[in-house]
Amino acid sequence: MGNDWLVFQLADSAFPAGAFAHSGGMEAAFHHQWLNDPESLEAVIRAQLHATAHLVAPFVSAAHRQPDQTPAYDELCDATLSNHVANRASRAQGQAFLLAASRIFANPCLSTLAAKLRSSQSPRHFAPIFGAITQCLGVELERAIMLFLFLNLRGLISAAVRLGIDGPISAQALQSRLSPFAAALVAPAARSSLDDAAQTAPMLDLLQGTQDRLYSRLFQS
């Protein structure tokens, strides 16, 4: 029961991890007219979820299995995220999540992790940080991956609403329809290794890289 309440707290939009400052590339895709109807919105979110499960979720799994190796996995994640916008967003979210978790939860493992990452001066990317933190908090691996993908899906849905691509009711209906798709990605992502990390949505990755050149922006990424 205690673990359930912890997961609910981490999933709550009130948890101060800074996720809602980012659109996951949705804003750039919208400006470049890749998102102009409900069908294209669903296709883009599916592609982004699939890419998240295959590109960065392996870092969640690796750091969860070996939290003491988080600085090394963090450096590898930094090299993997070649898109400067995605790289910057991942750093911002990881640093915010680590700061929030280490201050909110009285957990010696988190204090040790935060000190180790500060001393190593690693970039603190979201995926490896998330894996190490959930391991410290006693969240099992598959549940941690499920939470990671849920947060990604929720963020994309929220971005679509704030960009005016979809309304709040129909967006929630879309999230409900996409939940089984996201759930099917959990077990393979939990079994994955760092050798499996691959970008499966290269066009969306390229579009996200144009975020800084958009005429006007609501989001940082």
Side-chain angles (χ1 to χ4, degrees), residues 61-74:
S61 297
H64 192 283
R65 293 190 191 100
Q66 295 180 296
D68 58 312
Q69 295 298 311
T70 300
Y73 297 146
D74 194 23

Side-chain angles (χ1 to χ4, degrees), residues 122-193:
S122 66
R124 285 162 282 177
H125 283 283
F126 185 48
I129 293 297
F130 189 90
I133 286 175
T134 49
Q135 201 279 340
C136 280
L137 293 175
V139 180
E140 64 181 11
L141 178 56
E142 281 207 13
R143 210 167 192 207
I145 295 290
M146 181 182 295
L147 177 59
F148 187 77
L149 292 176
F150 168 79
L151 293 175
N152 184 257
L153 173 57
R154 184 197 65 184
L156 295 172
I157 291 293
S158 174
V161 173
R162 283 184 286 164
L163 287 166
I165 301 170
D166 207 351
I169 299 298
S170 56
Q172 286 299 307
L174 176 59
Q175 180 169 334
S176 178
R177 291 198 305 274
L178 288 175
S179 293
F181 174 77
L185 298 170
V186 172
R191 293 193 300 267
S192 65
S193 71

